[in-house]
Amino acid sequence: MAPTTVGFDLDMTLIDSRPGIHACYKALSERTGTHIDADLAITRLGPPLADELINWFPAEQVAAMADLYREMYPAMAITATPALPGAREAITAVREAGGRAIVVTAKYEPNAKLHLAHLGIEPDAVVGDLWAEQKADALREHAASVYVGDHQGDIRAARAADALSVTVATGPYSAVELGELGADVVLTDLTKFPDWLSGYLAAPRA
């Protein structure tokens, strides 16, 4: 059997990006004089940055505000963002099983790589700036048969890539909601992933 490649989402799957993103939205609000409800914004992480900014800025300003946000992000968000429980162990489990672990995320790719480097998480590849079905291109390119995420968009990504949708209830959706949205596997968090992976590799068609 060919080595298994497992794709992972980043925000609220491998990392708890809420503290850093909250700080960055507050700073953007202060910098621009525009009200942004950072408490609300961090409850709906997952979609591309522009999807959130359109709630606070006129459409013609969104691209410029996204550039400013990304410029501010490294100083505001990287050190404030912890790994979620089980994140490192999940990557290690894939490697120890002889597989490859990749990260496919909607986050701006340079900032995604900064997060992973800061936390000492070393996937085999990182692909950013992709959301929902767009992620399928990267998943197919790397022959990923499993995609792990926390969001409805991640389930859609797995479906579009003909990959197994494994979800963790560490993001905006509960375990029940993830099941209702069509996830193949629902875990409470990534601490459960190594045992699940071991069983899956022993009987992947069970």
Side-chain angles (χ1 to χ4, degrees), residues 116-161:
L116 294 165
H118 173 71
L119 295 170
I121 299 174
E122 299 180 350
D124 294 285
V126 179
V127 183
D129 305 293
L130 299 176
W131 163 241
E133 288 84 358
Q134 295 171 345
K135 294 181 176 183
D137 291 338
L139 294 171
R140 286 199 185 96
E141 180 182 347
H142 290 275
S145 58
V146 176
Y147 186 57
V148 185
D150 66 283
H151 198 281
Q152 181 183 22
D154 300 323
I155 298 171
R156 289 160 50 193
R159 288 280 172 270

Side-chain angles (χ1 to χ4, degrees), residues 4-48:
T4 297
T5 296
V6 178
F8 291 87
D9 176 48
L10 184 63
D11 287 2
M12 304 313 300
T13 298
L14 290 171
I15 65 174
D16 184 352
S17 51
R18 291 172 298 184
I21 290 176
H22 189 281
C24 203
Y25 277 132
K26 293 285 285 184
L28 182 64
S29 178
E30 292 168 5
R31 179 90 169 258
T32 62
T34 299
H35 170 69
I36 299 173
D37 187 339
D39 293 334
L40 176 60
I42 62 170
T43 68
R44 48 196 188 197
L45 301 181

